[in-house]
Amino acid sequence: MELLRSHLSRVRIPEPTNRIYKSECCVSFDTPRSDGGLYVDLSSFLAFGKDYVGWNYEKTGNPVYLHIEQKIIPAPEDRPLKKPTLLAIGVEGGFVNQEPEYEETHHIVILPDYIALQFPSVELPEKVRLSVDAILLSEGAERKEQLASWATEKKKSDYALLLEQINNDVIIPPSGWKCSKCDKTDNLWLNLTDGMILCGRRNWDGSGGNDHAFEHYREKKYPLAVKLGTLSADLEKADVFSYPEDETVVDPLLAQHLAFFGIDFSSLQKTEMTTAEKELDQNMNFDWNRIQESGQELEPLFGQGYTGLVNLGNSCYMSSTMQVVFSTRSFIARYYAEQNLKSAFELAPADPTLDLNMQLTKLGFGLLSGKYSSPTHEVEELGHSKGASSVAKQEGIPPRMFKTVIAASHPEFSSTRQQDALEFFLHLLDQVEQTHARKAELDPSRSFKFFIEERLQCPSGKVAYNKRADYILSLNIPLTEATNKEQLEAYNKLKADKSLTEEEFTNHEIVRPRVPLEACLKSFSEPEEVHDFYSTALDARTTAIKTAGLTTFPDYLVLHMRKFVLEEGWVPKKLDVYIDVPDIIDISHMRSKGIQPGDELLPEKASNIDEKKPIQIVPNEDIVSQLAVMGFNYLHCQKAAIKTSNIGVEEAMNWLLSHMNDPDIDDPIHYGPRDTTPPIDETSVATLISFGFQETVARKALKASGGSIEMAADWIFSHPEATSTSMDTDVPISSSTLTIDTKVPDGNGRYKLLGLVSHIGSSIHCGHYVAHVRKEGRWVIFNDSKVGASADPPLDMGYVYFFERSDG
C-alpha cells in the first residue's frame, strides 16, 4: 500500500471526454479472456496484454494498472436451434450469435515487479478506487460491436408524412388485382397517391413485372407505392417503396393511406415475399451457397496465416479485402516480417490506437502469427436439413482499432453500413501511401501502383498523350463475347414463354452469360471514340480516337470487374454473369508503346486564339475562400480554381501544392485562351448528389461527360478510383515527359491468380463479401471469422481479382 501511495501522482481519475480501453490490448488482440488477462494503465487508460504491458512501462514510466481477467462460465449443453428467416446477425429471426458468459475479476498491479492488490478493497487509496470505478462503469472506447443487419435497415420516409392523396373515387377491392397496363396479376404495386395498381420492375431473369409502376412514377412523380401481396394485419411487414429515395421505407401512416382507398388490411393475408425476403431467398440459395461454399464439408484451417476476422457489423468488405492484402509479400514484409510489434509501438505516438502504422502492424501480427488461430469446438447451425453439428472453429480477431484509424478520414467507412470493397481497397492504399510519403521505399502500396498512358488522335492526324497513375484496372464486361450464346438463347426463349408460371420458371436452372477474362482485358485496350474532344489543332470540338496501355507492370495486378452498371432510368443494377478467369494471364501485349515515329503532338494552344480575349471560366469564390482560410495566397487560390475548372477544393489544393514553386505562380492572371469546357449545370449536380454521389465526384463526372447526367453516372461507375484522393489527375505528356516513373515497380506481364473478393447481393451497399486466397498451393476461404480449405472456389464469380507477378 505504501508503494501504491507513492505512485498516486501517476494515477488519474478519467473524465467524460477520456478514451478508455478495457476490452482489447492496444498493440495486440489480447483481451481480458486471454492468458494473463488485460492491464489498463491508470494514467493513460490504454490497455495491454501481459506480454506487452512491460513495453508501456518502459516507454512511459506509468507503474499502476488495473488488471482485468475473465474466466468462462460453462454454458448449458443444449440450446434451441432455429433456421434464420432474416438476413441479419444477432437479431430476432437472424443468424444465431450466442456468446458464452464470463466471470470477471479485478486487481491493482504495480510494475515493474507486478505486485498485485485485491480490488475492491477499503484499504485502497480513494483516488485509486475512484479511478477504477470510473473505468469499470465506462462504456469503453472499443465497446462491444452491435452487429447490424446485412440488408439496409428501413428508414422512415419524409415523403410518407407529407404525402398528398388524390380523391378520384378509387376504391380498391380486397382481391382480383391486376395491372392497369398489362395482364400481370402478381408483383403488383398500389401507388399511394392516386390508387393506380401497376406491376413492378422487370428482374434480370425476365421475372417480376413490366416496369409499369416505375414508369408511372417517372411520369407523375408520385413517390410511394405498397406491394399489395405483402399487406396483412401486420402492417410492419408490408413492403413500401419510395421511388425518389430508391429504397424500401417505413410509412408510419400506412393504415391511414390504405383507408383512403377503402382497404381493410386486417382481413388480408400476405401472399408474396417482400423485396428483402426475395433477396434473402436468392442469397440463401445460389449466390449464398456458391460463394460461401455452403453445404461443403470444409476442412477448418488454423495456424499462421489462417486467422479469421470478426464481423463488426457489415465489415465484411474490410475483412475480405485485408485477408487478400495481407497475403501479398509487400504487406507481409512491411507490417510483419520486417517490423515487430515492439518497434511499431516505440515509433507510435502517445496513443497507439490512432497510429495507422501501429494498427496495421497489429493487424498483420494478428492475421499472420497464428497466435489467435486455434480451434474451439462449438455447435454450429448449418442452416439446412442436416441440422447442427459440432465443428472445430475459431473465434477470429475483431479489427476494431484498425477500422477506427483507417476510417478516421472517411465518414462512410466509420459507419456500420455496408461499403464497396473496391473503394475501401483504394482508400487503404491512399492512407498507406500518405503514411510513407517521406520514405517511399517503405511504402507497400507501391507494389500495386502502375501507370496508364492514353493516346488520343484527332482528325487532323495529330496526337496527345495523357499519363495517370492507378492501382486497379477497371474492366467492362462485354456480354456480347459470352461463350455460351446457344444456351443463353434457349434460356431467353424459355423466359419469353408466357405459359410458364413464375414458380415453374424459378425452379428451372438459371443460365448466366460466361465471358472470358481475355475479352474484358481486350475491351480495355481497344480503340474508343471520345466525343466532344477539343482539338487545339482544329480549334474545335471533334471526335478523337483513344487507345490505352500500361507503361509499367505492377508486382500485384488488381482487376475490378464492372458488375454494377446503370439500366434505363439511371437505376444501378448488378450484372449476373460468370467471368472465366484462367490461373495464369499474360498482359505483355498491353504495354504502351509511347510516342511513335511520325507522331506529331497537338499544340498546347490553338494558333488562332486571341490572347487578350477573356476566358469564360472564372474562379469559384467558395473554392478560393476555403483555400485562403487555410493560409494560401489569394492569387494562388484563384489560379488553382481556374486550372482545375472549379471542380472542388481538394482538386484545387492538390494543384496548388504541386505548383507552388512554378516561376509564374505570382504573375497576374491574364484571361487568355478561352475555356472550351461547357459550364456545369447545377441542377445536374444536384441530381447526381441525390443518387448518392459526392459533389466533387459529380462535378468531375459531368465535366468528363459533357454535362450529360446519364453519361456522368456511367462515368462514375466506370471510374471507382475517382473517389480516391491519391489518384493522379490526367497530365498531358510531351516527348520530354514520357519517362518511366522509377518509384513504382516494373517487370514482365505474366501473372498468376492469388486471390479474389466475391460479392453476394444486388448492391455494393448491402449483401456480403467473401475472400478466397491461394495459400501454400491450395485455395482457402475467408468468410469473416471462418477459415477453411476451399473445396470449390468460385473463381468465376469474383468482383475484384488479385494477380501476383509470375517469374515462371
Side-chain angles (χ1 to χ4, degrees), residues 648-721:
V649 175
E650 186 177 332
E651 289 79 3
M653 184 171 67
N654 288 338
W655 182 92
L656 192 55
L657 292 173
S658 303
H659 293 80
M660 292 184 68
N661 296 322
D662 287 2
D664 59 350
I665 190 67
D666 292 316
D667 293 349
I669 298 175
H670 294 293
Y671 292 90
R674 63 183 178 276
D675 179 53
T676 55
T677 304
I680 296 175
D681 180 25
E682 293 301 321
T683 304
S684 299
V685 175
T687 301
L688 286 175
I689 292 174
S690 71
F691 291 168
F693 301 127
Q694 297 176 2
E695 180 179 353
T696 54
V697 176
R699 291 184 180 278
K700 188 184 296 184
L702 286 167
K703 179 176 180 289
S705 56
S708 165
I709 295 179
E710 187 167 4
M711 291 176 63
D714 184 61
W715 184 92
I716 294 173
F717 278 95
S718 302
H719 295 76
E721 72 278 2

Side-chain angles (χ1 to χ4, degrees), residues 47 153 167 171 204 257-258 312 352 375 395 440 487 688 726 743 772 778 796 808:
E153 186 176 333
N167 188 0
I171 300 296
W204 63 268
H257 292 153
L258 293 174
L312 304 178
E395 292 183 0
Q487 294 92 326
L688 286 175
S726 70
K743 294 182 180 180
H772 284 77
R778 63 181 170 185
D796 50 5

Side-chain angles (χ1 to χ4, degrees), residues 219-236:
E219 178 184 352
K220 299 293 187 180
K221 300 303 179 185
Y222 299 152
L224 299 182
V226 62
K227 191 173 184 179
L228 288 171
T230 66
L231 292 178
S232 68
D234 187 359
L235 278 189
E236 289 186 1

Side-chain angles (χ1 to χ4, degrees), residues 514-526:
R514 281 198 168 274
V515 179
L517 179 62
E518 182 182 354
C520 303
L521 290 168
K522 184 179 179 183
S523 69
F524 174 83
S525 302
E526 284 183 336

Side-chain angles (χ1 to χ4, degrees), residues 21-33:
Y21 295 87
K22 59 179 182 178
S23 302
E24 182 179 300
C25 174
C26 294
V27 298
S28 75
F29 289 95
D30 287 0
T31 71
R33 302 171 190 176

